[in-house]
Amino acid sequence: MEASNQSAVTEFVLLGLSAHPKLEKTFFVLILSMYLVILLGNGVLILVTVFDSRLHTPMYFFLGNLSFLDICYTTSSVPLVLDGFLTPRKTISFSACTGQMFLSFAMGATECVLLGMMAFDRYVAICNPLRYPVVMRKATYVPMAASSWVAGGVNSLVQISLAVQLPFCGDNVINHFICEILAVLKLACADISINVISMAVANVIFLGVPVLFIFVSYIFILTTILKIPSAEGRRKAFSTCSAHLTVVVIFYGTILFMYAKPKSKDPLGADKQDVSDKLISLFYGLLTPMLNPIIYSLRNKDVKTAVRNLVAQKHITQ
């Protein structure tokens, strides 16, 4: 009988904003608009890094990977969120929930590693410019990017494999817009200490280590830039890494804000805080992918030139 109960959960109910139906249409329009901006902006960046030969460099190769990753990351969850805003009963099968968790977790971990790889690229370019063509040759930067994807995928596979082995017997309501792994683990009717420890270790590896690596890289980068005698030289050197640094600050800044935000001790405000926490988590997943192409376009003359050329070629063909 116990085994039967444990295998009873075949689908989950996503709570989302069910308690606030008036907000659903508003957020549907807002989330859809942000998603379209993400697809357009990152799609254009991928096109220019592929078709403009002047952008066939390690930095833009990583940027193209980052843009593709952001499209995959948002596509793994946003359509589900949008469907939930329009559907009275928001359900998702166990297998679909597992797939969505795997993709979201994999893309998040991959982005952390990829940002670290991009920091290394900027470190070599500024601190060892004469060796840059040798160190960052194609045989180096392609495996670096590939290892980011593999590492993120393997980590996600481990975490999701541990999660799906848990018995789910009883409550199947996920208090979120999507199958967020922590929200799903709360529904398990078994000890999840192994899962928590495993995720803590993964956070150290995929969040802590890249942050430390990026921090050390930029200490060396800033030290090198400050040694440049001319103001114009310092400005040009800093401009080559300012876009990446901005993206890193936004990416990790939103994570810090989301997890360091103080919890309300007022029981009457628990519902409002619960809604705000879910919305913050949702917009965190959209903010960085939406801003990345804007930041790299505004702060990079090569990208702006490539975009203009792409638009001009489209007009000529028409």
Side-chain angles (χ1 to χ4, degrees):
M1 187 69 169
E2 184 180 354
S4 175
N5 289 335
Q6 289 183 353
S7 62
V9 175
T10 58
E11 66 177 16
F12 293 104
V13 177
L14 300 170
L15 202 57
L17 287 175
S18 300
H20 306 273
K22 292 182 180 180
L23 295 176
E24 291 188 322
K25 290 184 179 179
T26 301
F27 280 105
F28 175 85
V29 174
L30 180 59
I31 300 301
L32 177 60
S33 300
M34 294 178 71
Y35 182 52
L36 292 176
V37 170
I38 289 169
L39 293 180
L40 178 62
N42 287 286
V44 169
L45 270 183
I46 291 172
L47 288 176
V48 297
T49 56
V50 170
F51 292 107
D52 194 313
S53 58
R54 291 169 298 182
L55 301 185
H56 290 174
T57 64
M59 183 177 73
Y60 296 113
F61 178 77
F62 286 129
L63 179 57
N65 273 263
L66 183 64
S67 294
F68 181 66
L69 187 152
D70 284 339
I71 290 176
C72 292
Y73 179 73
T74 52
T75 301
S76 69
S77 58
V78 172
L80 179 64
V81 174
L82 293 176
D83 180 66
F85 285 143
L86 301 178
T87 308
R89 181 172 172 81
K90 310 159 181 57
T91 59
I92 183 172
S93 67
F94 190 92
S95 58
C97 182
T98 301
Q100 188 261 303
M101 284 194 298
F102 172 80
L103 289 174
S104 296
F105 214 90
M107 297 304 106
T110 301
E111 182 154 1
C112 292
V113 179
L114 192 60
L115 288 173
M117 299 292 188
M118 295 173 77
F120 177 74
D121 172 73
R122 293 299 82 207
Y123 161 76
V124 177
I126 293 174
C127 299
N128 297 282
L130 297 180
R131 297 199 54 188
Y132 184 76
V134 177
V135 176
M136 296 303 295
R137 59 191 186 277
K138 191 171 184 180
T140 301
Y141 68 78
V142 172
M144 286 173 63
S147 65
S148 300
W149 289 90
V150 172
V154 170
N155 174 59
S156 182
L157 184 62
V158 171
Q159 304 304 329
I160 304 307
S161 296
L162 289 173
V164 297
Q165 291 178 27
L166 293 169
F168 294 90
C169 46
D171 189 10
N172 68 334
V173 179
I174 299 175
N175 189 19
H176 213 287
F177 297 100
I178 59 174
C179 288
E180 200 271 334
I181 190 167
L182 290 176
V184 173
L185 290 177
K186 290 178 181 179
L187 303 180
C189 49
D191 182 24
I192 61 170
S193 57
I194 294 178
N195 302 76
V196 173
I197 293 171
S198 177
M199 290 183 65
V201 172
N203 285 338
V204 171
I205 296 173
F206 288 91
L207 282 174
V209 173
V211 166
L212 181 62
F213 184 80
I214 292 169
F215 179 73
V216 173
S217 296
Y218 271 99
I219 288 178
F220 285 108
I221 289 171
L222 292 175
T223 302
T224 302
I225 290 176
L226 292 175
K227 291 180 181 178
I228 298 175
S230 67
E232 180 65 16
R234 290 194 296 270
R235 187 192 65 81
K236 286 184 178 179
F238 185 73
S239 67
T240 63
C241 60
S242 59
H244 174 258
L245 183 59
T246 303
V247 168
V248 167
V249 170
I250 293 174
F251 180 76
Y252 287 105
T254 50
I255 293 177
L256 182 64
F257 172 79
M258 188 167 62
Y259 288 104
K261 187 169 65 70
K263 301 294 182 181
S264 173
K265 295 182 179 180
D266 181 11
L268 297 176
D271 180 60
K272 289 184 178 179
Q273 179 170 349
D274 182 54
V275 173
S276 67
D277 287 346
K278 288 190 289 187
L279 289 173
I280 288 172
S281 176
L282 175 61
F283 281 102
Y284 154 71
L286 293 170
L287 182 64
T288 305
M290 185 180 72
L291 293 179
N292 281 355
I294 298 174
I295 292 169
Y296 275 99
S297 298
L298 292 177
R299 291 179 170 268
N300 193 297
K301 292 181 180 179
D302 293 335
V303 173
K304 286 190 284 187
T305 301
V307 171
R308 284 196 295 266
N309 291 340
L310 184 67
V311 173
Q313 290 176 4
K314 183 178 180 181
H315 284 307
I316 291 173
T317 56
Q318 288 178 348

PDB file of all heavy atoms in Angstrom, residues 303-315:
ATOM      1  N   VAL A 303      30.299  44.976 -32.569  1.00  0.00           N
ATOM      2  CA  VAL A 303      28.966  44.380 -32.638  1.00  0.00           C
ATOM      3  C   VAL A 303      27.992  45.336 -33.303  1.00  0.00           C
ATOM      4  O   VAL A 303      27.185  44.931 -34.156  1.00  0.00           O
ATOM      5  CB  VAL A 303      28.470  43.983 -31.230  1.00  0.00           C
ATOM      6  CG1 VAL A 303      27.015  43.527 -31.290  1.00  0.00           C
ATOM      7  CG2 VAL A 303      29.339  42.883 -30.656  1.00  0.00           C
ATOM      8  N   LYS A 304      28.045  46.621 -32.939  1.00  0.00           N
ATOM      9  CA  LYS A 304      27.139  47.604 -33.547  1.00  0.00           C
ATOM     10  C   LYS A 304      27.369  47.700 -35.044  1.00  0.00           C
ATOM     11  O   LYS A 304      26.413  47.768 -35.830  1.00  0.00           O
ATOM     12  CB  LYS A 304      27.333  48.973 -32.886  1.00  0.00           C
ATOM     13  CG  LYS A 304      26.743  49.067 -31.484  1.00  0.00           C
ATOM     14  CD  LYS A 304      26.730  50.487 -30.952  1.00  0.00           C
ATOM     15  CE  LYS A 304      28.102  50.921 -30.521  1.00  0.00           C
ATOM     16  NZ  LYS A 304      28.089  52.235 -29.841  1.00  0.00           N
ATOM     17  N   THR A 305      28.632  47.670 -35.449  1.00  0.00           N
ATOM     18  CA  THR A 305      28.949  47.718 -36.887  1.00  0.00           C
ATOM     19  C   THR A 305      28.437  46.472 -37.593  1.00  0.00           C
ATOM     20  O   THR A 305      27.864  46.544 -38.688  1.00  0.00           O
ATOM     21  CB  THR A 305      30.469  47.844 -37.085  1.00  0.00           C
ATOM     22  OG1 THR A 305      30.938  49.024 -36.440  1.00  0.00           O
ATOM     23  CG2 THR A 305      30.807  47.906 -38.571  1.00  0.00           C
ATOM     24  N   ALA A 306      28.629  45.312 -36.979  1.00  0.00           N
ATOM     25  CA  ALA A 306      28.176  44.056 -37.577  1.00  0.00           C
ATOM     26  C   ALA A 306      26.662  44.021 -37.701  1.00  0.00           C
ATOM     27  O   ALA A 306      26.118  43.528 -38.709  1.00  0.00           O
ATOM     28  CB  ALA A 306      28.663  42.879 -36.731  1.00  0.00           C
ATOM     29  N   VAL A 307      25.946  44.539 -36.705  1.00  0.00           N
ATOM     30  CA  VAL A 307      24.478  44.582 -36.756  1.00  0.00           C
ATOM     31  C   VAL A 307      24.021  45.495 -37.886  1.00  0.00           C
ATOM     32  O   VAL A 307      23.107  45.156 -38.648  1.00  0.00           O
ATOM     33  CB  VAL A 307      23.892  45.054 -35.410  1.00  0.00           C
ATOM     34  CG1 VAL A 307      22.395  45.303 -35.540  1.00  0.00           C
ATOM     35  CG2 VAL A 307      24.153  44.018 -34.327  1.00  0.00           C
ATOM     36  N   ARG A 308      24.666  46.669 -38.010  1.00  0.00           N
ATOM     37  CA  ARG A 308      24.305  47.593 -39.101  1.00  0.00           C
ATOM     38  C   ARG A 308      24.558  46.953 -40.457  1.00  0.00           C
ATOM     39  O   ARG A 308      23.759  47.097 -41.377  1.00  0.00           O
ATOM     40  CB  ARG A 308      25.096  48.891 -38.960  1.00  0.00           C
ATOM     41  CG  ARG A 308      24.594  49.822 -37.872  1.00  0.00           C
ATOM     42  CD  ARG A 308      25.145  51.229 -38.040  1.00  0.00           C
ATOM     43  NE  ARG A 308      26.583  51.255 -37.862  1.00  0.00           N
ATOM     44  CZ  ARG A 308      27.191  51.533 -36.715  1.00  0.00           C
ATOM     45  NH1 ARG A 308      26.461  51.791 -35.632  1.00  0.00           N
ATOM     46  NH2 ARG A 308      28.506  51.551 -36.618  1.00  0.00           N
ATOM     47  N   ASN A 309      25.672  46.241 -40.586  1.00  0.00           N
ATOM     48  CA  ASN A 309      25.974  45.575 -41.855  1.00  0.00           C
ATOM     49  C   ASN A 309      24.948  44.489 -42.170  1.00  0.00           C
ATOM     50  O   ASN A 309      24.546  44.311 -43.323  1.00  0.00           O
ATOM     51  CB  ASN A 309      27.372  44.956 -41.807  1.00  0.00           C
ATOM     52  CG  ASN A 309      28.477  45.996 -41.784  1.00  0.00           C
ATOM     53  OD1 ASN A 309      28.248  47.145 -42.161  1.00  0.00           O
ATOM     54  ND2 ASN A 309      29.662  45.614 -41.333  1.00  0.00           N
ATOM     55  N   LEU A 310      24.528  43.761 -41.132  1.00  0.00           N
ATOM     56  CA  LEU A 310      23.534  42.708 -41.321  1.00  0.00           C
ATOM     57  C   LEU A 310      22.208  43.292 -41.782  1.00  0.00           C
ATOM     58  O   LEU A 310      21.561  42.761 -42.702  1.00  0.00           O
ATOM     59  CB  LEU A 310      23.348  41.937 -40.014  1.00  0.00           C
ATOM     60  CG  LEU A 310      22.409  40.717 -40.064  1.00  0.00           C
ATOM     61  CD1 LEU A 310      23.007  39.629 -40.932  1.00  0.00           C
ATOM     62  CD2 LEU A 310      22.155  40.175 -38.649  1.00  0.00           C
ATOM     63  N   VAL A 311      21.803  44.406 -41.177  1.00  0.00           N
ATOM     64  CA  VAL A 311      20.556  45.073 -41.565  1.00  0.00           C
ATOM     65  C   VAL A 311      20.666  45.620 -42.982  1.00  0.00           C
ATOM     66  O   VAL A 311      19.730  45.509 -43.784  1.00  0.00           O
ATOM     67  CB  VAL A 311      20.224  46.207 -40.572  1.00  0.00           C
ATOM     68  CG1 VAL A 311      19.030  47.014 -41.069  1.00  0.00           C
ATOM     69  CG2 VAL A 311      19.946  45.638 -39.188  1.00  0.00           C
ATOM     70  N   ALA A 312      21.837  46.201 -43.312  1.00  0.00           N
ATOM     71  CA  ALA A 312      22.047  46.754 -44.647  1.00  0.00           C
ATOM     72  C   ALA A 312      21.980  45.661 -45.707  1.00  0.00           C
ATOM     73  O   ALA A 312      21.378  45.838 -46.774  1.00  0.00           O
ATOM     74  CB  ALA A 312      23.390  47.470 -44.711  1.00  0.00           C
ATOM     75  N   GLN A 313      22.602  44.509 -45.423  1.00  0.00           N
ATOM     76  CA  GLN A 313      22.555  43.384 -46.373  1.00  0.00           C
ATOM     77  C   GLN A 313      21.142  42.883 -46.588  1.00  0.00           C
ATOM     78  O   GLN A 313      20.757  42.512 -47.692  1.00  0.00           O
ATOM     79  CB  GLN A 313      23.455  42.252 -45.866  1.00  0.00           C
ATOM     80  CG  GLN A 313      24.945  42.551 -45.936  1.00  0.00           C
ATOM     81  CD  GLN A 313      25.776  41.419 -45.332  1.00  0.00           C
ATOM     82  OE1 GLN A 313      25.251  40.398 -44.929  1.00  0.00           O
ATOM     83  NE2 GLN A 313      27.080  41.644 -45.256  1.00  0.00           N
ATOM     84  N   LYS A 314      20.341  42.896 -45.513  1.00  0.00           N
ATOM     85  CA  LYS A 314      18.952  42.449 -45.626  1.00  0.00           C
ATOM     86  C   LYS A 314      18.165  43.385 -46.539  1.00  0.00           C
ATOM     87  O   LYS A 314      17.372  42.942 -47.371  1.00  0.00           O
ATOM     88  CB  LYS A 314      18.319  42.408 -44.232  1.00  0.00           C
ATOM     89  CG  LYS A 314      16.889  41.880 -44.247  1.00  0.00           C
ATOM     90  CD  LYS A 314      16.325  41.810 -42.846  1.00  0.00           C
ATOM     91  CE  LYS A 314      14.884  41.290 -42.874  1.00  0.00           C
ATOM     92  NZ  LYS A 314      14.293  41.235 -41.510  1.00  0.00           N
ATOM     93  N   HIS A 315      18.418  44.701 -46.415  1.00  0.00           N
ATOM     94  CA  HIS A 315      17.713  45.673 -47.263  1.00  0.00           C
ATOM     95  C   HIS A 315      18.138  45.509 -48.725  1.00  0.00           C
ATOM     96  O   HIS A 315      17.324  45.647 -49.636  1.00  0.00           O
ATOM     97  CB  HIS A 315      17.996  47.087 -46.784  1.00  0.00           C
ATOM     98  CG  HIS A 315      17.243  47.463 -45.539  1.00  0.00           C
ATOM     99  ND1 HIS A 315      15.869  47.326 -45.420  1.00  0.00           N
ATOM    100  CD2 HIS A 315      17.671  47.966 -44.351  1.00  0.00           C
ATOM    101  CE1 HIS A 315      15.488  47.724 -44.221  1.00  0.00           C
ATOM    102  NE2 HIS A 315      16.554  48.114 -43.538  1.00  0.00           N
TER     103      HIS A 315
END
